[in-house]
Amino acid sequence: MTKNKEIKKLDTTTEEKIKAAARAVFHKKGYAATRTRDIAKEADINLALLNYYFRSKEKLFELIMFETLLGFMQHMSTVLNNEKTTLEQKVELIASSYIDLLIKDPNVPIFMLSEIRNNAEGLLEKLPIRQLIINSAFFRQHQKAVVNGRITEPNPLHFFMNLLGLVVFPFIGKPLLQGIGGLSEAQFDKLMQERKKGIPVWIKAMMKAK
């Protein structure tokens, strides 16, 4: 019995090790440029062991892609569906939490952008993204703000796109922005931290514009 538990623990540990390695490599290189031997090398295991746990690059990629987007959406769902926070507070929370997330793993936006363009329909089938937005407290609060005249733009997608664009685009354009500004990694991260305060102000101004 003890031996079986040890084997199961070893299996789980190895699987998680492979997944962590695959996540790092896929996020950095994308699907097309990644080879299974790249993942095996990152995980510090041989290729045969990788193939034993995950039969193909395709299946491993699907798993990593789904987990990456699911984690992204679950966190956003928690923020968007909090009935106790205002629309303004939701903007602050999304800006702050996702900037912290992307500073920690700056390859995620490029990874998501590339793969969303390649398989948007498949992802929409697996993840309830549309329902998340349409049925959220965020959506209801936005509509109420429009009715009350606090927001002039009636389409919540504009609100949402503006918010995500302000948060995500700097990380997509990071190499270019660093080159233009002559920024080191630390200076870029400091700039992103400053955006936590700026984004809610800019969003509020944009939504009131006529």
Side-chain angles (χ1 to χ4, degrees), residues 5 7 16 30 48 52 84 92 142 161 173 183 186 192 199 205:
K5 286 183 178 180
I7 293 173
E16 291 304 317
Y52 171 78
K84 297 181 180 180
E92 292 174 4
H142 176 273
M161 284 188 290
L183 303 175
M192 295 304 100
I199 288 173

Side-chain angles (χ1 to χ4, degrees), residues 88-100:
E88 290 78 7
Q89 288 171 326
K90 286 179 173 60
V91 171
E92 292 174 4
L93 288 168
I94 289 175
S96 178
S97 60
Y98 278 106
I99 284 175
D100 284 342

Side-chain angles (χ1 to χ4, degrees), residues 87 138-156 159 207-208:
L87 195 62
F138 158 84
F139 183 87
R140 293 192 298 274
Q141 288 172 328
H142 176 273
Q143 295 301 94
K144 185 177 180 180
V146 170
V147 171
N148 293 338
R150 291 174 46 232
I151 293 178
T152 56
E153 172 50 61
N155 190 337
F159 190 104
M207 291 300 99
K208 285 185 175 180

